[in-house]
Amino acid sequence: MKTLIIADHEYGVLKPETSKTINAAVKLGQDIDVLVAGFNVSETAAAAASIAGVNQVVLVDTASFEHQQAENMADLVVSLSADYSHILASATTTGKNFMPRVAALLDKNQISEIIAVVDADTFKRPIYAGNAIATVKSLEDKKLITVRASAFDLQDTQTAANIVNNDTSNAATGSVFVSKEQAESERPELTAAPVIVSGGRGMQNGENFKLFEGIADKLGAAIGASRAAVDAGFVPNDMQVGQTGKIVAPNLYIAVGISGAIQHLAGMKDSKVIVAINKDPDAPIFQVADYGLVADLFDILPELEAAL
Amino acid sequence: MKILVPIKRVIDYNVKARVKADQTDVDLANVKMALNPFCEIAVEEAIRIKEAGKAEEVIVVSIGTKAVQEQLRTALALGADRAIHVETDAKLESLQIAKLLNKVLEQEPAELVILGKQAIDSDNNQTGQMLAALSNRPQGTFASKVELADGTVNVTREVDGGLQTVALNLPAIVTTDLRLNEPRYASLPNIMKAKRKPLAVIPADSLDVDLTPRIELVKVEEPATREAGIIVDDVAQLIEKLKNEAKVI
Ligand SMILES: Cc1cc2nc3c(=O)[nH]c(=O)nc-3n(C[C@H](O)[C@H](O)[C@H](O)COP(=O)(O)OP(=O)(O)OC[C@H]3O[C@@H](n4cnc5c(N)ncnc54)[C@H](O)[C@@H]3O)c2cc1C
């Protein structure tokens, strides 16, 4: 049997999560096919075909898949499923949306957000906001899996594999795309950035997030936030790091004015190096920080920018 | 219109889960339990829709041991009209939960089902989507805004790249994200009143769903702990450490 990966892309821009999901799939030791579904995505398919380990790319390029809605994505994956013992997608909001639908249509469970492949049936996944790691063994003949990309490495590239066209074009039943408010940023994606500067309620308002700009420029960093900062309207939802936001593991995570609640730690405690800047010496964030600075962030941020 | 809100009893979000010494599971003995925060948001949203005159009835349902009746009463105190307890001692998987909910949905054909996007214990983020598949309905997951119109519901969804809005034909399934609303607190009179609201018990066995486990929990471990770090004196020392010790800048 073979493994099928559903490529994750943002309107044609292939996400690094796809490469990391393939990295997880390689450990299953089977041939890997990748499904690229979208609109005007022939280049996306070419990019996917060049990820090491990919045997073949199935390309569905049609307007009805432009927004990757769960309803027709699920039907499409089900229609391809017969040849595959393992079907994997990244645990992005796209993968989380359609994969459980595929699973239920196939009468299978889904193993969510795996962080390790033990063997073809057995996987590790965090539960309880990452305060416990479960090893689970699937007793089913087909495995539906989402992958926490931050736990896996990027694959190398290869000479492009074969691309085959599939002319499925059914629309999403009962669901019509209305609009998309696309987050625009010149900065790297949170989940791909080597450095993240992240702000919490201590930032006081959205305007103060500008204090991060110079630092982020110098470090090539992405800017993140805690739930409190998003809830308060300082910054948009796509910047939230945590149990229920984005899971990140950069080389360097700088938490500024963030207390370090369980739910926030769940999203960043696998970062290689953590720096905490907080005026409260008892803030729990210091328990996971490699380097802590007990100080007022409004004094420190300008100093930090100047010193870099 | 009826709204069905499936809810889950979970560890309180302020409590840090501890792994049992024998690594068989997380230790929940004597741990504070609560309504899953995302489910609370789902209940609140349903009540607001009813208060806006767009629904007649809000029904809450929970699957599990007798203990889940505590969370059903909480939801009734918040304003749900009646509750259904699908009783079982079995530890169920998301697919089985979705199948049982689908049976309940057949008995209580609600045009809108609102669920939390994820339970903070298993962190699966699956049940709503699975129920949508089984009931053959469209789905609006991770909702930060829900607007009902004639025969449709507009759902604004929190996605990785921003916000996406879809229009779903009713009947539909919606799952909640954090920013959909801020749940109210139950008042004392409403807590008292909730005790007299109807709560029906249905044995899970009577719903004709195969409850044989298909996932084996092999073991549960503590995550790797981080080495304790150091407090630096100033920005100069911080930068020196990041450059020469950690080598990350
Ligand atoms: C179901 C659920 C899911 C959740 N999911 C997430 C999630 O995904 N991500 C997430 O982040 N949270 C999440 N939370 C929320 C979480 O519990 C915390 O409430 C949140 O992380 C707190 O954000 P904060 O640290 O910015 O704010 P606070 O806890 O208020 O901390 C602010 C910190 O700033 C410091 N500070 C203030 N002023 C200054 C200053 N001038 N200089 C230096 N330091 C200063 C304070 O000392 C304090 O430590 C979730 C909660 C629930 C219930």
Side-chain angles (χ1 to χ4, degrees):
Chain A
M1 291 288 257
K2 301 188 285 181
T3 299
L4 178 68
I5 310 281
I6 296 93
D8 200 316
H9 62 89
E10 185 81 36
Y11 291 101
V13 181
L14 192 65
K15 291 205 179 177
E17 281 88 338
T18 302
S19 177
K20 292 179 179 178
T21 298
I22 292 167
N23 183 264
V26 166
K27 299 177 172 66
L28 297 167
Q30 309 187 117
D31 274 356
I32 297 171
D33 291 352
V34 176
L35 167 66
V36 175
F39 188 38
N40 294 328
V41 286
S42 55
E43 281 178 32
T44 322
S50 303
I51 298 173
V54 175
N55 196 52
Q56 175 179 293
V57 171
V58 179
L59 171 61
V60 176
D61 195 342
T62 170
S64 52
F65 284 96
E66 181 171 10
H67 307 293
Q68 299 174 72
Q69 283 150 279
E71 295 79 5
N72 54 348
M73 280 296 289
D75 291 344
L76 171 62
V77 177
V78 169
S79 75
L80 298 172
S81 63
D83 295 341
Y84 302 98
S85 61
H86 292 71
I87 303 179
L88 282 69
S90 323
T92 57
T93 48
T94 308
K96 287 173 181 170
N97 192 28
F98 71 80
M99 279 294 273
R101 196 170 173 110
V102 176
L105 290 173
L106 293 171
D107 192 24
K108 302 291 176 236
N109 275 289
Q110 172 182 290
I111 315 273
S112 292
E113 302 225 15
I114 63 161
I115 55 167
V117 175
V118 179
D119 60 43
D121 304 313
T122 316
F123 309 92
K124 290 191 184 215
R125 58 178 305 267
I127 52 176
Y128 291 86
N131 288 310
I133 308 295
T135 302
V136 292
K137 184 173 177 192
S138 163
L139 309 175
E140 296 176 317
D141 57 355
K142 207 184 273 292
K143 277 55 157 171
L144 279 290
I145 296 169
T146 62
V147 175
R148 177 170 290 190
S150 63
F152 295 92
D153 296 325
L154 286 168
Q155 282 288 96
D156 288 337
T157 51
Q158 66 175 13
T159 348
N162 210 21
I163 300 177
V164 294
N165 284 292
N166 175 303
D167 59 9
T168 305
S169 64
N170 58 313
T173 313
S175 169
V176 178
F177 171 84
V178 176
S179 62
K180 175 88 195 269
E181 257 177 64
Q182 189 74 18
E184 298 290 351
S185 171
E186 303 289 297
R187 302 200 179 282
E189 283 248 10
L190 265 179
T191 49
V195 179
I196 295 173
V197 193
S198 205
R201 200 194 310 269
M203 295 300 288
Q204 289 178 5
N205 56 46
E207 191 64 21
N208 287 335
F209 269 75
K210 292 205 175 121
L211 294 168
F212 286 162
E213 298 284 338
I215 297 168
D217 286 343
K218 287 184 173 170
L219 294 174
I223 299 178
S226 72
R227 172 191 173 182
V230 178
D231 281 5
F234 302 172
V235 292
N237 64 278
D238 54 273
M239 287 169 65
Q240 180 180 316
V241 171
Q243 179 188 14
T244 58
K246 287 181 182 161
I247 310 287
V248 300
N251 285 331
L252 174 60
Y253 187 91
I254 307 178
V256 184
I258 293 177
S259 62
I262 298 172
Q263 295 84 6
H264 189 78
L265 300 185
M268 45 65 77
K269 72 176 156 62
D270 292 327
S271 304
K272 194 161 156 254
V273 174
I274 297 173
V275 170
I277 301 172
N278 196 305
K279 66 179 179 190
D280 173 8
D282 296 325
I285 190 77
F286 288 121
Q287 289 163 22
V288 300
D290 299 280
Y291 304 109
L293 193 48
V294 182
D296 192 306
L297 67 93
F298 295 104
D299 298 333
I300 295 301
L301 289 177
E303 253 186 77
L304 185 61
E305 182 180 345
L308 281 168
Chain B
M1 179 172 98
K2 277 201 253 197
I3 306 178
L4 184 69
V5 185
I7 61 174
K8 187 174 185 187
R9 173 185 169 90
V10 296
I11 190 168
D12 184 276
Y13 79 93
N14 284 305
V15 179
K16 187 169 169 186
R18 305 243 169 252
V19 171
K20 284 186 188 169
D22 65 2
Q23 296 200 326
T24 51
D25 207 340
V26 159
D27 194 353
L28 292 181
N30 302 317
V31 166
K32 187 174 175 216
M33 303 296 279
L35 181 52
N36 179 46
F38 289 100
C39 301
E40 201 177 343
I41 294 171
V43 172
E44 176 68 31
E45 193 65 17
I47 295 166
R48 288 189 191 186
I49 293 171
K50 187 187 163 194
E51 285 170 348
K54 292 181 175 156
E56 285 81 51
E57 194 181 28
V58 175
I59 308 160
V60 286
V61 50
S62 191
I63 301 170
T65 62
K66 203 161 192 311
V68 306
Q69 291 190 8
E70 188 189 339
Q71 278 61 47
L72 287 170
R73 291 287 173 203
T74 303
L76 292 171
L78 291 171
D81 298 294
R82 60 186 169 95
I84 299 170
H85 172 203
V86 179
E87 191 169 13
T88 170
D89 290 339
K91 243 192 132 191
L92 300 182
E93 296 155 3
S94 303
L95 183 63
Q96 295 163 335
I97 297 284
K99 286 180 180 177
L100 290 170
L101 290 175
N102 195 37
K103 296 282 182 178
V104 172
L105 189 54
E106 281 165 12
Q107 294 177 10
E108 301 281 353
E111 279 183 280
L112 191 59
V113 183
I114 312 180
L115 308 86
K117 78 164 177 181
Q118 120 187 28
I120 60 164
D121 50 1
S122 54
D123 277 338
N124 270 322
N125 195 333
Q126 314 175 332
T127 306
Q129 297 89 318
M130 287 180 162
L131 179 60
L134 298 174
S135 61
N136 197 20
R137 296 175 173 209
Q139 66 188 56
T141 51
F142 328 142
S144 64
K145 198 168 170 193
V146 173
E147 288 175 309
L148 277 163
D150 217 18
T152 62
V153 57
N154 269 35
V155 181
T156 300
R157 312 178 49 237
E158 293 201 356
V159 294
D160 289 341
L163 292 169
Q164 184 200 56
T165 304
V166 288
L168 309 177
N169 291 341
L170 293 173
I173 308 285
V174 168
T175 76
T176 63
D177 217 316
L178 293 170
R179 279 159 287 273
L180 182 57
N181 60 50
E182 240 181 88
R184 69 194 66 190
Y185 292 97
S187 67
L188 202 56
N190 284 344
I191 294 172
M192 300 312 291
K193 236 168 57 194
K195 293 189 175 146
R196 291 188 303 273
K197 288 188 180 174
L199 190 157
V201 181
I202 308 176
D205 306 342
S206 71
L207 291 175
D208 195 25
V209 171
D210 179 7
L211 302 180
T212 324
R214 298 196 205 159
I215 298 176
E216 187 187 317
L217 185 59
V218 180
K219 69 173 170 191
V220 175
E221 299 161 277
E222 296 274 353
T225 43
R226 293 187 74 95
E227 297 279 317
I230 57 161
I231 297 292
V232 293
D233 299 327
D234 51 26
V235 167
Q237 195 193 359
L238 175 63
I239 290 188
E240 189 273 319
K241 292 282 183 194
L242 291 177
K243 276 196 175 134
N244 302 322
E245 196 175 82
K247 299 187 168 53
V248 286
I249 60 170

